[in-house]
Amino acid sequence: VYTNLIRVEEAVGQVPVLVLSMDSNHTVANLDDLAILAQQGNTISHAIGFVYAEKNVLPVFSEEQIISTSGGGKELELLIAGRVDLAIISGPHYRQLRERPQFRDAPIHQAGTVAHFTLYPYLHKKHAHLADNLAQALRKVKEDGEYDLFFPMD
C-alpha cells in the first residue's frame, strides 16, 4: 500500500489476465480450472511484479511448480522451450510481445482468461487537486472514442 498516492476515480481500462500454453488441450476459464492444472503437476512462469498473478493465481501452485522471471518475454521463452507448461501474462503485455520476431510465429495457445482487473491512474498526494480534472478529462476522451485508439486493452 502506497500511502503517498491517491487514486483518480476514473478507470483507464480492463486488463485481461491470460493463461498461455503450448498444449492446445489446456483450457482455462477461471481460477478453479487453473487449480486443476496445478494439481495435475503443471508448471507455470510469470514476471516478477505482476501483482495480480502473485496474489491470486500463483497461490494455487506449489513453490516447485513456479518459475519467476524478470519479465521482458522470459516467461514466453520458458514456455516455448518446454521448461514450463503454462505462463500467466496480461493481455496488453502478451499482444506487445507477440510483435517480436522470436514470438510472432510461435504456436502459443491462449488457454484462457482467468480474470480481468481494472486499472486506475494514481497521483502523488501533493497533486491531489488535479485528480478531479484528470478524471473529467479521461471521461471526455473516452466519450469521444479517442481513448480506445491510443489505449486498446484487449
Side-chain angles (χ1 to χ4, degrees):
V1 178
Y2 300 97
T3 57
N4 62 334
L5 299 177
I6 61 159
R7 184 166 94 174
V8 175
E9 293 301 328
E10 180 63 31
V12 292
Q14 289 285 317
V15 177
V17 179
L18 307 178
V19 177
L20 307 174
S21 176
M22 298 303 284
D23 184 345
S24 61
N25 293 316
H26 287 155
T27 303
V28 178
N30 53 45
L31 289 173
D32 291 336
D33 292 344
L34 196 57
I36 291 169
L37 290 174
Q39 290 167 0
Q40 293 171 346
N42 288 283
T43 55
I44 192 165
S45 65
H46 75 101
I48 295 169
F50 186 11
V51 176
Y52 182 88
E54 291 171 351
K55 287 185 176 183
N56 299 289
V57 175
L58 299 181
V60 302
F61 290 86
S62 69
E63 281 186 35
E64 297 79 28
Q65 291 174 284
I66 300 169
I67 296 183
S68 302
T69 73
S70 59
K74 297 291 184 197
E75 57 273 55
L76 296 187
E77 291 174 8
L78 292 170
L79 186 65
I80 293 167
R83 294 200 44 221
V84 294
D85 304 303
L86 307 164
I88 188 90
I89 191 169
S90 74
H93 188 213
Y94 180 55
R95 186 176 61 245
Q96 181 184 44
L97 290 173
R98 287 297 285 197
E99 294 176 8
R100 293 185 184 175
Q102 69 266 40
F103 303 129
R104 190 172 296 132
D105 297 321
I108 298 171
H109 167 65
Q110 191 170 316
T113 302
V114 292
H116 287 82
F117 63 89
T118 304
L119 285 180
Y120 291 90
Y122 284 78
L123 295 172
H124 190 278
K125 63 183 176 185
K126 70 181 178 183
H127 301 297
H129 63 282
L130 300 173
D132 288 339
N133 288 340
L134 179 55
Q136 191 174 31
L138 285 168
R139 279 191 290 277
K140 183 181 181 319
V141 174
K142 286 181 189 178
E143 289 169 6
D144 293 346
E146 294 178 60
Y147 187 85
D148 290 334
L149 295 174
F150 296 101
F151 302 105
M153 285 292 148
D154 56 4

mmCIF file with all atom_site columns, all heavy atoms in Angstrom, residues 11-24:
data_model
loop_
_atom_site.group_PDB
_atom_site.id
_atom_site.type_symbol
_atom_site.label_atom_id
_atom_site.label_alt_id
_atom_site.label_comp_id
_atom_site.label_asym_id
_atom_site.label_entity_id
_atom_site.label_seq_id
_atom_site.pdbx_PDB_ins_code
_atom_site.Cartn_x
_atom_site.Cartn_y
_atom_site.Cartn_z
_atom_site.occupancy
_atom_site.B_iso_or_equiv
_atom_site.pdbx_formal_charge
_atom_site.auth_seq_id
_atom_site.auth_comp_id
_atom_site.auth_asym_id
_atom_site.auth_atom_id
_atom_site.pdbx_PDB_model_num
ATOM 1  N N   . ALA A 1 11 ? -11.553 4.833   -14.220 1.00 0.00 ? 11 ALA A N   1
ATOM 2  C CA  . ALA A 1 11 ? -10.779 3.695   -14.699 1.00 0.00 ? 11 ALA A CA  1
ATOM 3  C C   . ALA A 1 11 ? -10.200 3.993   -16.077 1.00 0.00 ? 11 ALA A C   1
ATOM 4  O O   . ALA A 1 11 ? -10.816 4.675   -16.893 1.00 0.00 ? 11 ALA A O   1
ATOM 5  C CB  . ALA A 1 11 ? -11.658 2.455   -14.758 1.00 0.00 ? 11 ALA A CB  1
ATOM 6  N N   . VAL A 1 12 ? -9.016  3.466   -16.321 1.00 0.00 ? 12 VAL A N   1
ATOM 7  C CA  . VAL A 1 12 ? -8.398  3.636   -17.632 1.00 0.00 ? 12 VAL A CA  1
ATOM 8  C C   . VAL A 1 12 ? -8.418  2.352   -18.449 1.00 0.00 ? 12 VAL A C   1
ATOM 9  O O   . VAL A 1 12 ? -7.952  2.333   -19.581 1.00 0.00 ? 12 VAL A O   1
ATOM 10 C CB  . VAL A 1 12 ? -6.955  4.186   -17.530 1.00 0.00 ? 12 VAL A CB  1
ATOM 11 C CG1 . VAL A 1 12 ? -6.976  5.619   -17.019 1.00 0.00 ? 12 VAL A CG1 1
ATOM 12 C CG2 . VAL A 1 12 ? -6.076  3.310   -16.676 1.00 0.00 ? 12 VAL A CG2 1
ATOM 13 N N   . GLY A 1 13 ? -8.964  1.285   -17.887 1.00 0.00 ? 13 GLY A N   1
ATOM 14 C CA  . GLY A 1 13 ? -9.085  0.064   -18.676 1.00 0.00 ? 13 GLY A CA  1
ATOM 15 C C   . GLY A 1 13 ? -9.326  -1.183  -17.863 1.00 0.00 ? 13 GLY A C   1
ATOM 16 O O   . GLY A 1 13 ? -9.131  -1.198  -16.653 1.00 0.00 ? 13 GLY A O   1
ATOM 17 N N   . GLN A 1 14 ? -9.778  -2.192  -18.572 1.00 0.00 ? 14 GLN A N   1
ATOM 18 C CA  . GLN A 1 14 ? -9.923  -3.538  -18.027 1.00 0.00 ? 14 GLN A CA  1
ATOM 19 C C   . GLN A 1 14 ? -8.839  -4.393  -18.669 1.00 0.00 ? 14 GLN A C   1
ATOM 20 O O   . GLN A 1 14 ? -8.757  -4.463  -19.901 1.00 0.00 ? 14 GLN A O   1
ATOM 21 C CB  . GLN A 1 14 ? -11.290 -4.131  -18.380 1.00 0.00 ? 14 GLN A CB  1
ATOM 22 C CG  . GLN A 1 14 ? -12.438 -3.491  -17.651 1.00 0.00 ? 14 GLN A CG  1
ATOM 23 C CD  . GLN A 1 14 ? -12.479 -3.943  -16.204 1.00 0.00 ? 14 GLN A CD  1
ATOM 24 O OE1 . GLN A 1 14 ? -12.291 -5.119  -15.892 1.00 0.00 ? 14 GLN A OE1 1
ATOM 25 N NE2 . GLN A 1 14 ? -12.700 -3.013  -15.317 1.00 0.00 ? 14 GLN A NE2 1
ATOM 26 N N   . VAL A 1 15 ? -8.011  -5.013  -17.872 1.00 0.00 ? 15 VAL A N   1
ATOM 27 C CA  . VAL A 1 15 ? -6.895  -5.799  -18.387 1.00 0.00 ? 15 VAL A CA  1
ATOM 28 C C   . VAL A 1 15 ? -7.179  -7.279  -18.186 1.00 0.00 ? 15 VAL A C   1
ATOM 29 O O   . VAL A 1 15 ? -7.397  -7.724  -17.063 1.00 0.00 ? 15 VAL A O   1
ATOM 30 C CB  . VAL A 1 15 ? -5.580  -5.409  -17.675 1.00 0.00 ? 15 VAL A CB  1
ATOM 31 C CG1 . VAL A 1 15 ? -4.433  -6.277  -18.151 1.00 0.00 ? 15 VAL A CG1 1
ATOM 32 C CG2 . VAL A 1 15 ? -5.282  -3.938  -17.904 1.00 0.00 ? 15 VAL A CG2 1
ATOM 33 N N   . PRO A 1 16 ? -7.173  -8.056  -19.281 1.00 0.00 ? 16 PRO A N   1
ATOM 34 C CA  . PRO A 1 16 ? -7.362  -9.488  -19.128 1.00 0.00 ? 16 PRO A CA  1
ATOM 35 C C   . PRO A 1 16 ? -6.082  -10.156 -18.610 1.00 0.00 ? 16 PRO A C   1
ATOM 36 O O   . PRO A 1 16 ? -4.974  -9.748  -18.963 1.00 0.00 ? 16 PRO A O   1
ATOM 37 C CB  . PRO A 1 16 ? -7.695  -9.965  -20.544 1.00 0.00 ? 16 PRO A CB  1
ATOM 38 C CG  . PRO A 1 16 ? -7.072  -8.952  -21.436 1.00 0.00 ? 16 PRO A CG  1
ATOM 39 C CD  . PRO A 1 16 ? -7.085  -7.652  -20.678 1.00 0.00 ? 16 PRO A CD  1
ATOM 40 N N   . VAL A 1 17 ? -6.265  -11.164 -17.774 1.00 0.00 ? 17 VAL A N   1
ATOM 41 C CA  . VAL A 1 17 ? -5.158  -11.972 -17.273 1.00 0.00 ? 17 VAL A CA  1
ATOM 42 C C   . VAL A 1 17 ? -5.224  -13.294 -18.030 1.00 0.00 ? 17 VAL A C   1
ATOM 43 O O   . VAL A 1 17 ? -6.171  -14.068 -17.872 1.00 0.00 ? 17 VAL A O   1
ATOM 44 C CB  . VAL A 1 17 ? -5.273  -12.209 -15.752 1.00 0.00 ? 17 VAL A CB  1
ATOM 45 C CG1 . VAL A 1 17 ? -4.128  -13.082 -15.261 1.00 0.00 ? 17 VAL A CG1 1
ATOM 46 C CG2 . VAL A 1 17 ? -5.298  -10.879 -15.023 1.00 0.00 ? 17 VAL A CG2 1
ATOM 47 N N   . LEU A 1 18 ? -4.219  -13.536 -18.879 1.00 0.00 ? 18 LEU A N   1
ATOM 48 C CA  . LEU A 1 18 ? -4.222  -14.687 -19.772 1.00 0.00 ? 18 LEU A CA  1
ATOM 49 C C   . LEU A 1 18 ? -3.376  -15.831 -19.239 1.00 0.00 ? 18 LEU A C   1
ATOM 50 O O   . LEU A 1 18 ? -2.349  -15.614 -18.600 1.00 0.00 ? 18 LEU A O   1
ATOM 51 C CB  . LEU A 1 18 ? -3.665  -14.290 -21.140 1.00 0.00 ? 18 LEU A CB  1
ATOM 52 C CG  . LEU A 1 18 ? -4.295  -13.093 -21.838 1.00 0.00 ? 18 LEU A CG  1
ATOM 53 C CD1 . LEU A 1 18 ? -3.577  -12.823 -23.156 1.00 0.00 ? 18 LEU A CD1 1
ATOM 54 C CD2 . LEU A 1 18 ? -5.774  -13.318 -22.058 1.00 0.00 ? 18 LEU A CD2 1
ATOM 55 N N   . VAL A 1 19 ? -3.808  -17.038 -19.562 1.00 0.00 ? 19 VAL A N   1
ATOM 56 C CA  . VAL A 1 19 ? -3.011  -18.237 -19.328 1.00 0.00 ? 19 VAL A CA  1
ATOM 57 C C   . VAL A 1 19 ? -2.631  -18.766 -20.702 1.00 0.00 ? 19 VAL A C   1
ATOM 58 O O   . VAL A 1 19 ? -3.493  -18.971 -21.561 1.00 0.00 ? 19 VAL A O   1
ATOM 59 C CB  . VAL A 1 19 ? -3.796  -19.304 -18.542 1.00 0.00 ? 19 VAL A CB  1
ATOM 60 C CG1 . VAL A 1 19 ? -2.960  -20.563 -18.379 1.00 0.00 ? 19 VAL A CG1 1
ATOM 61 C CG2 . VAL A 1 19 ? -4.214  -18.766 -17.191 1.00 0.00 ? 19 VAL A CG2 1
ATOM 62 N N   . LEU A 1 20 ? -1.329  -18.972 -20.895 1.00 0.00 ? 20 LEU A N   1
ATOM 63 C CA  . LEU A 1 20 ? -0.812  -19.451 -22.169 1.00 0.00 ? 20 LEU A CA  1
ATOM 64 C C   . LEU A 1 20 ? -0.221  -20.834 -22.006 1.00 0.00 ? 20 LEU A C   1
ATOM 65 O O   . LEU A 1 20 ? 0.252   -21.198 -20.928 1.00 0.00 ? 20 LEU A O   1
ATOM 66 C CB  . LEU A 1 20 ? 0.262   -18.495 -22.690 1.00 0.00 ? 20 LEU A CB  1
ATOM 67 C CG  . LEU A 1 20 ? -0.122  -17.027 -22.771 1.00 0.00 ? 20 LEU A CG  1
ATOM 68 C CD1 . LEU A 1 20 ? 1.085   -16.191 -23.164 1.00 0.00 ? 20 LEU A CD1 1
ATOM 69 C CD2 . LEU A 1 20 ? -1.266  -16.820 -23.737 1.00 0.00 ? 20 LEU A CD2 1
ATOM 70 N N   . SER A 1 21 ? -0.230  -21.594 -23.084 1.00 0.00 ? 21 SER A N   1
ATOM 71 C CA  . SER A 1 21 ? 0.302   -22.950 -23.064 1.00 0.00 ? 21 SER A CA  1
ATOM 72 C C   . SER A 1 21 ? 0.752   -23.325 -24.465 1.00 0.00 ? 21 SER A C   1
ATOM 73 O O   . SER A 1 21 ? 0.299   -22.741 -25.452 1.00 0.00 ? 21 SER A O   1
ATOM 74 C CB  . SER A 1 21 ? -0.788  -23.921 -22.580 1.00 0.00 ? 21 SER A CB  1
ATOM 75 O OG  . SER A 1 21 ? -0.331  -25.255 -22.639 1.00 0.00 ? 21 SER A OG  1
ATOM 76 N N   . MET A 1 22 ? 1.588   -24.309 -24.571 1.00 0.00 ? 22 MET A N   1
ATOM 77 C CA  . MET A 1 22 ? 1.937   -24.871 -25.875 1.00 0.00 ? 22 MET A CA  1
ATOM 78 C C   . MET A 1 22 ? 1.008   -26.049 -26.179 1.00 0.00 ? 22 MET A C   1
ATOM 79 O O   . MET A 1 22 ? 0.993   -26.552 -27.290 1.00 0.00 ? 22 MET A O   1
ATOM 80 C CB  . MET A 1 22 ? 3.399   -25.330 -25.891 1.00 0.00 ? 22 MET A CB  1
ATOM 81 C CG  . MET A 1 22 ? 4.403   -24.216 -25.659 1.00 0.00 ? 22 MET A CG  1
ATOM 82 S SD  . MET A 1 22 ? 4.302   -22.837 -26.810 1.00 0.00 ? 22 MET A SD  1
ATOM 83 C CE  . MET A 1 22 ? 5.069   -23.571 -28.241 1.00 0.00 ? 22 MET A CE  1
ATOM 84 N N   . ASP A 1 23 ? 0.242   -26.487 -25.204 1.00 0.00 ? 23 ASP A N   1
ATOM 85 C CA  . ASP A 1 23 ? -0.668  -27.623 -25.322 1.00 0.00 ? 23 ASP A CA  1
ATOM 86 C C   . ASP A 1 23 ? -2.080  -27.119 -25.590 1.00 0.00 ? 23 ASP A C   1
ATOM 87 O O   . ASP A 1 23 ? -2.713  -26.518 -24.723 1.00 0.00 ? 23 ASP A O   1
ATOM 88 C CB  . ASP A 1 23 ? -0.633  -28.443 -24.033 1.00 0.00 ? 23 ASP A CB  1
ATOM 89 C CG  . ASP A 1 23 ? -1.474  -29.699 -24.072 1.00 0.00 ? 23 ASP A CG  1
ATOM 90 O OD1 . ASP A 1 23 ? -2.328  -29.839 -24.979 1.00 0.00 ? 23 ASP A OD1 1
ATOM 91 O OD2 . ASP A 1 23 ? -1.291  -30.543 -23.181 1.00 0.00 ? 23 ASP A OD2 1
ATOM 92 N N   . SER A 1 24 ? -2.584  -27.372 -26.770 1.00 0.00 ? 24 SER A N   1
ATOM 93 C CA  . SER A 1 24 ? -3.920  -26.879 -27.137 1.00 0.00 ? 24 SER A CA  1
ATOM 94 C C   . SER A 1 24 ? -5.032  -27.571 -26.345 1.00 0.00 ? 24 SER A C   1
ATOM 95 O O   . SER A 1 24 ? -6.183  -27.145 -26.407 1.00 0.00 ? 24 SER A O   1
ATOM 96 C CB  . SER A 1 24 ? -4.159  -27.051 -28.637 1.00 0.00 ? 24 SER A CB  1
ATOM 97 O OG  . SER A 1 24 ? -4.098  -28.417 -28.993 1.00 0.00 ? 24 SER A OG  1
#
